[in-house]
Amino acid sequence: MRGISEIPTYVVMQPTTLCNLDCSYCYLPLRKLDKKMPVEVATAVAASVNPWSRTGRFSVVWHGGEPLAAGREHFAELLKPFAEGVEHHVQTNATLIDDAWCEFFTERDIRVSVSVDGPEARNGERVTRGDKPAYARIMRGVEALRRHDIPFSALCVVGRPVPGLATELYGYFLELGCEVLGINVEELEGVNTRTNRHPEQDVKAFWAELVTAWRKNPSIHLREIEWSLRYAAAVLDGTADELLPRRLDPIPTVAQDGSVVLLSPELAGFSDPRYGDFSSGNVLTTPLAEILTRATGTPWIREFLDGVEACRTQCPYFGFCGGAHAANRYFEHGRFDVTTTDHCRNSKIRLLEGVLDHARDHQPTAV
């Protein structure tokens, strides 16, 4: 895996900067502002996306802010320029979901992922602008999805991995009824400056415990665990080099004003004296496809690729993760050519080690 692909597998779109919640771990700098994406931006993005979608599966992920805060009428206008073959996904806090939104999702075949951190007691970080608990509103949205038989994924942030938490969380999400679960150990990035350094054994034990809970009832697709098992199996049969793509996915994130940040959505909305605003261009003046062809001309991206090469030569886990994420490098170290971050310790290295610890602890007994 070297360099950056000129064709992504998905595009992240920000229909509005606004979020109606004020989660304490949120990284977004502009979530209190209500700046909606003009339809002209979506039209410009679609001009590149539609041809890509004709050659294979392609997704547009509507992120935020809270994307539903853009309103159904405006959201509908943003969707119109995209071809029928484009998949649409929405990452939402679910607090605005009602019957009308469910009908909207069904009519347009939009795939839904809900952000929720487990049982009510685990959602203390997720609060309204008035600092009130958001959990009941989240559950009302989830109940609406269930009423309309809309399948959904879930995304859970873990602030502090502790014994027993993984089992509790997995049981909760089984009952919630999600089809896919992603687990993010809280990250230091954006406007969230809280440390994410945890004892090594605690994090490894968390992931190992999660595997144990999942194996007892593997009816949810568990994003991190299934990827780890695929990698371990590939190492054993000698095909690990085939798992990672030949080039990095550029993951273009298109902000509400049309500016494009590559590789890490978390960098959108920030600027730095050395790197500027991290943008590689704007779709209102330059086609997205053209922005991607000259991605390596962006100074911070060149520095990031140097960091990826350093990871390749120094880190035995490179084949598993392909190099630390750009935003984590920057927000933890202030530059992109560094290697190990607390994020990659928590969510890459200790993830894989935890899965392997589980495997060692559950080997069949010889007879």
Side-chain angles (χ1 to χ4, degrees):
M1 185 177 70
R2 296 180 186 275
I4 299 174
S5 175
E6 293 183 2
I7 300 179
T9 57
Y10 65 101
V11 171
V12 179
M13 299 277 282
Q14 186 184 55
T16 178
T17 57
L18 180 67
C19 187
N20 59 322
L21 297 187
D22 195 20
C23 304
S24 55
Y25 52 62
C26 183
Y27 63 86
L28 293 167
L30 304 175
R31 63 184 187 270
K32 295 183 180 180
L33 303 179
D34 187 7
K35 295 184 177 182
K36 290 184 174 65
M37 174 179 283
V39 174
E40 291 78 9
V41 171
T43 302
V45 173
S48 293
V49 164
N50 291 341
W52 292 333
S53 72
R54 290 195 287 268
T55 62
R57 182 179 179 184
F58 196 92
S59 299
V60 173
V61 180
W62 298 92
H63 213 287
E66 165 51 46
L68 305 192
R72 279 187 301 279
E73 290 186 8
H74 188 63
F75 208 155
E77 292 301 311
L78 294 175
L79 292 170
K80 283 182 180 179
F82 293 95
E84 186 174 339
V86 177
E87 288 184 7
H88 292 279
H89 301 246
V90 62
Q91 184 66 47
T92 174
N93 62 37
T95 60
L96 300 176
I97 295 178
D98 55 14
D99 291 336
W101 270 112
C102 288
E103 292 167 5
F104 184 95
F105 298 148
T106 301
E107 290 168 1
R108 294 162 175 80
D109 196 24
I110 297 175
R111 304 179 187 206
V112 180
S113 179
V114 173
S115 299
V116 59
D117 298 337
E120 184 170 8
R122 300 288 182 187
N123 279 264
E125 310 276 11
R126 303 183 64 75
V127 296
T128 67
R129 294 240 159 261
D131 202 31
K132 302 293 185 183
Y135 185 77
R137 295 173 62 183
I138 296 170
M139 287 302 101
R140 283 199 295 271
V142 170
E143 288 162 8
L145 293 172
R146 289 169 171 166
R147 280 197 308 275
H148 289 262
D149 295 320
I150 296 175
F152 62 96
S153 302
L155 185 61
C156 171
V157 174
V158 172
R160 191 166 65 92
V162 293
L165 176 59
T167 302
E168 176 189 351
L169 289 177
Y170 190 73
Y172 171 83
F173 285 104
L174 274 174
E175 186 174 343
L176 191 70
C178 63
E179 292 189 342
V180 180
L181 173 61
I183 300 285
N184 289 349
V185 177
E186 182 181 340
E187 302 169 40
L188 186 162
E189 60 186 4
V191 297
N192 178 24
T193 58
R194 304 191 308 193
T195 181
N196 62 335
R197 185 160 295 184
H198 307 288
E200 177 180 352
Q201 284 306 121
D202 286 359
V203 182
K204 288 170 59 176
F206 170 83
W207 292 117
E209 181 186 322
L210 189 59
V211 183
T212 301
W214 174 73
R215 288 190 64 197
K216 290 177 180 176
N217 186 356
S219 58
I220 295 177
H221 287 294
L222 201 48
R223 184 184 65 184
E224 288 77 16
I225 300 306
E226 292 185 23
W227 166 246
S228 302
L229 293 173
R230 281 181 59 202
Y231 176 75
V235 169
L236 292 174
D237 66 20
T239 61
D241 285 347
E242 300 173 15
L243 281 183
L244 291 177
R246 296 299 91 189
R247 293 185 177 185
L248 285 166
D249 194 316
I251 316 176
T253 295
V254 183
Q256 58 80 30
D257 64 355
S259 59
V260 179
V261 171
L262 304 181
L263 298 170
S264 284
E266 299 85 358
L267 290 169
F270 291 91
S271 61
D272 180 274
R274 289 182 60 211
Y275 311 110
D277 63 3
F278 300 109
S279 171
S280 293
N282 191 297
V283 296
L284 293 177
T285 56
T286 308
L288 180 58
E290 183 179 333
I291 290 173
L292 295 183
T293 62
R294 53 192 208 202
T296 54
T298 306
W300 75 262
I301 292 179
R302 291 199 300 271
E303 185 176 289
F304 167 73
L305 292 175
D306 289 342
V308 171
E309 291 308 307
C311 286
R312 187 194 308 276
T313 60
Q314 298 174 23
C315 183
Y317 297 87
F318 182 82
F320 177 60
C321 79
H325 293 177
N328 299 111
R329 294 172 189 253
Y330 174 73
F331 289 116
E332 290 190 29
H333 297 288
R335 56 186 305 115
F336 295 95
D337 54 2
V338 293
T339 53
T340 308
T341 64
D342 284 327
H343 169 70
C344 70
R345 292 186 184 95
N346 293 331
S347 299
K348 303 295 182 182
I349 296 171
R350 289 163 191 165
L351 162 61
L352 184 58
E353 290 177 347
V355 170
L356 296 177
D357 284 351
H358 167 88
R360 282 189 287 267
D361 292 343
H362 293 79
Q363 291 184 74
T365 304
V367 295

PDB file of all heavy atoms in Angstrom, residues 62-63 65-68 90-97 105 112-116 126 138 145:
ATOM      1  N   TRP A  62     -23.441  10.890   4.853  1.00  0.00           N
ATOM      2  CA  TRP A  62     -23.872  12.203   5.335  1.00  0.00           C
ATOM      3  C   TRP A  62     -23.584  12.286   6.825  1.00  0.00           C
ATOM      4  O   TRP A  62     -24.125  11.529   7.624  1.00  0.00           O
ATOM      5  CB  TRP A  62     -25.349  12.404   5.036  1.00  0.00           C
ATOM      6  CG  TRP A  62     -25.619  12.385   3.566  1.00  0.00           C
ATOM      7  CD1 TRP A  62     -25.955  11.299   2.810  1.00  0.00           C
ATOM      8  CD2 TRP A  62     -25.542  13.489   2.659  1.00  0.00           C
ATOM      9  NE1 TRP A  62     -26.094  11.656   1.488  1.00  0.00           N
ATOM     10  CE2 TRP A  62     -25.849  12.993   1.374  1.00  0.00           C
ATOM     11  CE3 TRP A  62     -25.250  14.841   2.825  1.00  0.00           C
ATOM     12  CZ2 TRP A  62     -25.870  13.815   0.253  1.00  0.00           C
ATOM     13  CZ3 TRP A  62     -25.272  15.662   1.693  1.00  0.00           C
ATOM     14  CH2 TRP A  62     -25.578  15.153   0.434  1.00  0.00           C
ATOM     15  N   HIS A  63     -22.678  13.194   7.161  1.00  0.00           N
ATOM     16  CA  HIS A  63     -22.145  13.317   8.520  1.00  0.00           C
ATOM     17  C   HIS A  63     -22.427  14.734   8.977  1.00  0.00           C
ATOM     18  O   HIS A  63     -23.079  15.498   8.294  1.00  0.00           O
ATOM     19  CB  HIS A  63     -20.649  12.996   8.476  1.00  0.00           C
ATOM     20  CG  HIS A  63     -20.109  12.331   9.699  1.00  0.00           C
ATOM     21  ND1 HIS A  63     -19.916  13.007  10.881  1.00  0.00           N
ATOM     22  CD2 HIS A  63     -19.724  11.057   9.923  1.00  0.00           C
ATOM     23  CE1 HIS A  63     -19.409  12.171  11.778  1.00  0.00           C
ATOM     24  NE2 HIS A  63     -19.295  10.975  11.231  1.00  0.00           N
ATOM     25  N   GLY A  65     -21.490  17.959  12.233  1.00  0.00           N
ATOM     26  CA  GLY A  65     -22.811  18.254  12.748  1.00  0.00           C
ATOM     27  C   GLY A  65     -23.735  17.039  12.888  1.00  0.00           C
ATOM     28  O   GLY A  65     -23.336  15.900  12.852  1.00  0.00           O
ATOM     29  N   GLU A  66     -25.023  17.365  13.047  1.00  0.00           N
ATOM     30  CA  GLU A  66     -26.077  16.354  12.991  1.00  0.00           C
ATOM     31  C   GLU A  66     -26.755  16.511  11.640  1.00  0.00           C
ATOM     32  O   GLU A  66     -27.439  17.511  11.397  1.00  0.00           O
ATOM     33  CB  GLU A  66     -27.073  16.545  14.131  1.00  0.00           C
ATOM     34  CG  GLU A  66     -28.378  15.792  13.978  1.00  0.00           C
ATOM     35  CD  GLU A  66     -28.185  14.314  13.673  1.00  0.00           C
ATOM     36  OE1 GLU A  66     -27.357  13.658  14.342  1.00  0.00           O
ATOM     37  OE2 GLU A  66     -28.864  13.826  12.763  1.00  0.00           O
ATOM     38  N   PRO A  67     -26.562  15.564  10.718  1.00  0.00           N
ATOM     39  CA  PRO A  67     -27.057  15.760   9.350  1.00  0.00           C
ATOM     40  C   PRO A  67     -28.554  15.988   9.265  1.00  0.00           C
ATOM     41  O   PRO A  67     -29.015  16.730   8.383  1.00  0.00           O
ATOM     42  CB  PRO A  67     -26.634  14.465   8.631  1.00  0.00           C
ATOM     43  CG  PRO A  67     -26.262  13.504   9.702  1.00  0.00           C
ATOM     44  CD  PRO A  67     -25.804  14.309  10.865  1.00  0.00           C
ATOM     45  N   LEU A  68     -29.340  15.389  10.172  1.00  0.00           N
ATOM     46  CA  LEU A  68     -30.784  15.577  10.099  1.00  0.00           C
ATOM     47  C   LEU A  68     -31.191  16.996  10.483  1.00  0.00           C
ATOM     48  O   LEU A  68     -32.304  17.434  10.174  1.00  0.00           O
ATOM     49  CB  LEU A  68     -31.507  14.573  10.988  1.00  0.00           C
ATOM     50  CG  LEU A  68     -31.204  13.088  10.746  1.00  0.00           C
ATOM     51  CD1 LEU A  68     -32.199  12.209  11.484  1.00  0.00           C
ATOM     52  CD2 LEU A  68     -31.164  12.755   9.267  1.00  0.00           C
ATOM     53  N   VAL A  90     -26.340   7.682   6.527  1.00  0.00           N
ATOM     54  CA  VAL A  90     -26.413   8.827   7.427  1.00  0.00           C
ATOM     55  C   VAL A  90     -25.948   8.398   8.815  1.00  0.00           C
ATOM     56  O   VAL A  90     -26.358   7.359   9.328  1.00  0.00           O
ATOM     57  CB  VAL A  90     -27.835   9.423   7.472  1.00  0.00           C
ATOM     58  CG1 VAL A  90     -28.856   8.422   7.996  1.00  0.00           C
ATOM     59  CG2 VAL A  90     -27.880  10.698   8.287  1.00  0.00           C
ATOM     60  N   GLN A  91     -25.022   9.169   9.386  1.00  0.00           N
ATOM     61  CA  GLN A  91     -24.560   8.953  10.760  1.00  0.00           C
ATOM     62  C   GLN A  91     -25.268   9.975  11.633  1.00  0.00           C
ATOM     63  O   GLN A  91     -25.041  11.176  11.497  1.00  0.00           O
ATOM     64  CB  GLN A  91     -23.039   9.126  10.860  1.00  0.00           C
ATOM     65  CG  GLN A  91     -22.470   8.830  12.239  1.00  0.00           C
ATOM     66  CD  GLN A  91     -22.628   7.363  12.618  1.00  0.00           C
ATOM     67  OE1 GLN A  91     -22.318   6.477  11.830  1.00  0.00           O
ATOM     68  NE2 GLN A  91     -23.110   7.106  13.822  1.00  0.00           N
ATOM     69  N   THR A  92     -26.137   9.501  12.531  1.00  0.00           N
ATOM     70  CA  THR A  92     -27.034  10.406  13.251  1.00  0.00           C
ATOM     71  C   THR A  92     -27.071  10.101  14.741  1.00  0.00           C
ATOM     72  O   THR A  92     -26.863   8.954  15.152  1.00  0.00           O
ATOM     73  CB  THR A  92     -28.464  10.296  12.676  1.00  0.00           C
ATOM     74  OG1 THR A  92     -29.361  11.068  13.468  1.00  0.00           O
ATOM     75  CG2 THR A  92     -28.957   8.851  12.643  1.00  0.00           C
ATOM     76  N   ASN A  93     -27.358  11.132  15.535  1.00  0.00           N
ATOM     77  CA  ASN A  93     -27.557  10.898  16.971  1.00  0.00           C
ATOM     78  C   ASN A  93     -28.973  10.407  17.269  1.00  0.00           C
ATOM     79  O   ASN A  93     -29.303  10.138  18.432  1.00  0.00           O
ATOM     80  CB  ASN A  93     -27.221  12.156  17.794  1.00  0.00           C
ATOM     81  CG  ASN A  93     -28.102  13.348  17.454  1.00  0.00           C
ATOM     82  OD1 ASN A  93     -29.296  13.226  17.184  1.00  0.00           O
ATOM     83  ND2 ASN A  93     -27.499  14.546  17.475  1.00  0.00           N
ATOM     84  N   ALA A  94     -29.807  10.320  16.250  1.00  0.00           N
ATOM     85  CA  ALA A  94     -31.158   9.726  16.305  1.00  0.00           C
ATOM     86  C   ALA A  94     -32.191  10.579  17.033  1.00  0.00           C
ATOM     87  O   ALA A  94     -33.375  10.237  17.032  1.00  0.00           O
ATOM     88  CB  ALA A  94     -31.134   8.321  16.920  1.00  0.00           C
ATOM     89  N   THR A  95     -31.800  11.683  17.636  1.00  0.00           N
ATOM     90  CA  THR A  95     -32.760  12.449  18.449  1.00  0.00           C
ATOM     91  C   THR A  95     -33.842  13.120  17.610  1.00  0.00           C
ATOM     92  O   THR A  95     -34.894  13.477  18.140  1.00  0.00           O
ATOM     93  CB  THR A  95     -32.037  13.533  19.273  1.00  0.00           C
ATOM     94  OG1 THR A  95     -31.364  14.437  18.379  1.00  0.00           O
ATOM     95  CG2 THR A  95     -31.024  12.915  20.222  1.00  0.00           C
ATOM     96  N   LEU A  96     -33.597  13.303  16.321  1.00  0.00           N
ATOM     97  CA  LEU A  96     -34.569  13.962  15.453  1.00  0.00           C
ATOM     98  C   LEU A  96     -35.392  12.964  14.633  1.00  0.00           C
ATOM     99  O   LEU A  96     -36.310  13.362  13.902  1.00  0.00           O
ATOM    100  CB  LEU A  96     -33.865  14.940  14.508  1.00  0.00           C
ATOM    101  CG  LEU A  96     -33.086  16.074  15.203  1.00  0.00           C
ATOM    102  CD1 LEU A  96     -32.358  16.922  14.172  1.00  0.00           C
ATOM    103  CD2 LEU A  96     -34.014  16.938  16.042  1.00  0.00           C
ATOM    104  N   ILE A  97     -35.079  11.686  14.747  1.00  0.00           N
ATOM    105  CA  ILE A  97     -35.784  10.687  13.940  1.00  0.00           C
ATOM    106  C   ILE A  97     -37.219  10.518  14.438  1.00  0.00           C
ATOM    107  O   ILE A  97     -37.469  10.311  15.622  1.00  0.00           O
ATOM    108  CB  ILE A  97     -35.052   9.330  13.984  1.00  0.00           C
ATOM    109  CG1 ILE A  97     -33.667   9.452  13.328  1.00  0.00           C
ATOM    110  CG2 ILE A  97     -35.871   8.262  13.278  1.00  0.00           C
ATOM    111  CD1 ILE A  97     -32.851   8.176  13.375  1.00  0.00           C
ATOM    112  N   PHE A 105     -36.165   7.888   4.881  1.00  0.00           N
ATOM    113  CA  PHE A 105     -35.091   6.900   4.735  1.00  0.00           C
ATOM    114  C   PHE A 105     -35.541   5.743   3.839  1.00  0.00           C
ATOM    115  O   PHE A 105     -34.784   5.272   2.978  1.00  0.00           O
ATOM    116  CB  PHE A 105     -34.681   6.335   6.101  1.00  0.00           C
ATOM    117  CG  PHE A 105     -34.124   7.342   7.069  1.00  0.00           C
ATOM    118  CD1 PHE A 105     -34.323   7.188   8.437  1.00  0.00           C
ATOM    119  CD2 PHE A 105     -33.398   8.440   6.630  1.00  0.00           C
ATOM    120  CE1 PHE A 105     -33.810   8.102   9.340  1.00  0.00           C
ATOM    121  CE2 PHE A 105     -32.882   9.365   7.522  1.00  0.00           C
ATOM    122  CZ  PHE A 105     -33.097   9.190   8.886  1.00  0.00           C
ATOM    123  N   VAL A 112     -28.854   3.737   7.804  1.00  0.00           N
ATOM    124  CA  VAL A 112     -28.794   4.548   9.019  1.00  0.00           C
ATOM    125  C   VAL A 112     -27.813   3.944  10.022  1.00  0.00           C
ATOM    126  O   VAL A 112     -27.821   2.735  10.274  1.00  0.00           O
ATOM    127  CB  VAL A 112     -30.189   4.656   9.670  1.00  0.00           C
ATOM    128  CG1 VAL A 112     -30.130   5.500  10.938  1.00  0.00           C
ATOM    129  CG2 VAL A 112     -31.192   5.235   8.677  1.00  0.00           C
ATOM    130  N   SER A 113     -26.977   4.801  10.596  1.00  0.00           N
ATOM    131  CA  SER A 113     -26.111   4.416  11.719  1.00  0.00           C
ATOM    132  C   SER A 113     -26.364   5.384  12.862  1.00  0.00           C
ATOM    133  O   SER A 113     -26.359   6.600  12.664  1.00  0.00           O
ATOM    134  CB  SER A 113     -24.637   4.445  11.324  1.00  0.00           C
ATOM    135  OG  SER A 113     -23.815   4.087  12.422  1.00  0.00           O
ATOM    136  N   VAL A 114     -26.591   4.833  14.050  1.00  0.00           N
ATOM    137  CA  VAL A 114     -26.951   5.619  15.231  1.00  0.00           C
ATOM    138  C   VAL A 114     -25.772   5.700  16.185  1.00  0.00           C
ATOM    139  O   VAL A 114     -25.134   4.690  16.503  1.00  0.00           O
ATOM    140  CB  VAL A 114     -28.165   4.986  15.948  1.00  0.00           C
ATOM    141  CG1 VAL A 114     -28.444   5.692  17.276  1.00  0.00           C
ATOM    142  CG2 VAL A 114     -29.392   5.035  15.048  1.00  0.00           C
ATOM    143  N   SER A 115     -25.482   6.897  16.657  1.00  0.00           N
ATOM    144  CA  SER A 115     -24.444   7.100  17.666  1.00  0.00           C
ATOM    145  C   SER A 115     -25.070   6.992  19.055  1.00  0.00           C
ATOM    146  O   SER A 115     -25.912   7.811  19.435  1.00  0.00           O
ATOM    147  CB  SER A 115     -23.791   8.480  17.501  1.00  0.00           C
ATOM    148  OG  SER A 115     -23.183   8.606  16.238  1.00  0.00           O
ATOM    149  N   VAL A 116     -24.673   5.976  19.808  1.00  0.00           N
ATOM    150  CA  VAL A 116     -25.166   5.785  21.180  1.00  0.00           C
ATOM    151  C   VAL A 116     -24.113   4.971  21.922  1.00  0.00           C
ATOM    152  O   VAL A 116     -23.496   4.071  21.350  1.00  0.00           O
ATOM    153  CB  VAL A 116     -26.545   5.087  21.196  1.00  0.00           C
ATOM    154  CG1 VAL A 116     -26.499   3.717  20.520  1.00  0.00           C
ATOM    155  CG2 VAL A 116     -27.097   4.981  22.601  1.00  0.00           C
ATOM    156  N   ARG A 126     -23.363  12.453  26.436  1.00  0.00           N
ATOM    157  CA  ARG A 126     -24.234  12.836  25.321  1.00  0.00           C
ATOM    158  C   ARG A 126     -25.398  13.659  25.863  1.00  0.00           C
ATOM    159  O   ARG A 126     -26.376  13.114  26.385  1.00  0.00           O
ATOM    160  CB  ARG A 126     -24.723  11.600  24.572  1.00  0.00           C
ATOM    161  CG  ARG A 126     -23.574  10.746  24.058  1.00  0.00           C
ATOM    162  CD  ARG A 126     -24.060   9.562  23.247  1.00  0.00           C
ATOM    163  NE  ARG A 126     -24.752  10.002  22.036  1.00  0.00           N
ATOM    164  CZ  ARG A 126     -24.151  10.481  20.948  1.00  0.00           C
ATOM    165  NH1 ARG A 126     -22.824  10.587  20.911  1.00  0.00           N
ATOM    166  NH2 ARG A 126     -24.842  10.848  19.898  1.00  0.00           N
ATOM    167  N   ILE A 138     -32.720   9.832  22.132  1.00  0.00           N
ATOM    168  CA  ILE A 138     -32.065   8.864  21.246  1.00  0.00           C
ATOM    169  C   ILE A 138     -32.927   7.618  21.115  1.00  0.00           C
ATOM    170  O   ILE A 138     -33.154   7.100  20.019  1.00  0.00           O
ATOM    171  CB  ILE A 138     -30.664   8.500  21.783  1.00  0.00           C
ATOM    172  CG1 ILE A 138     -29.745   9.730  21.768  1.00  0.00           C
ATOM    173  CG2 ILE A 138     -30.052   7.364  20.967  1.00  0.00           C
ATOM    174  CD1 ILE A 138     -28.427   9.523  22.504  1.00  0.00           C
ATOM    175  N   LEU A 145     -37.229   3.801  14.261  1.00  0.00           N
ATOM    176  CA  LEU A 145     -36.588   2.919  13.268  1.00  0.00           C
ATOM    177  C   LEU A 145     -37.148   1.510  13.368  1.00  0.00           C
ATOM    178  O   LEU A 145     -37.438   0.861  12.349  1.00  0.00           O
ATOM    179  CB  LEU A 145     -35.070   2.898  13.484  1.00  0.00           C
ATOM    180  CG  LEU A 145     -34.316   4.202  13.214  1.00  0.00           C
ATOM    181  CD1 LEU A 145     -32.863   4.074  13.663  1.00  0.00           C
ATOM    182  CD2 LEU A 145     -34.380   4.581  11.733  1.00  0.00           C
TER     183      LEU A 145
END
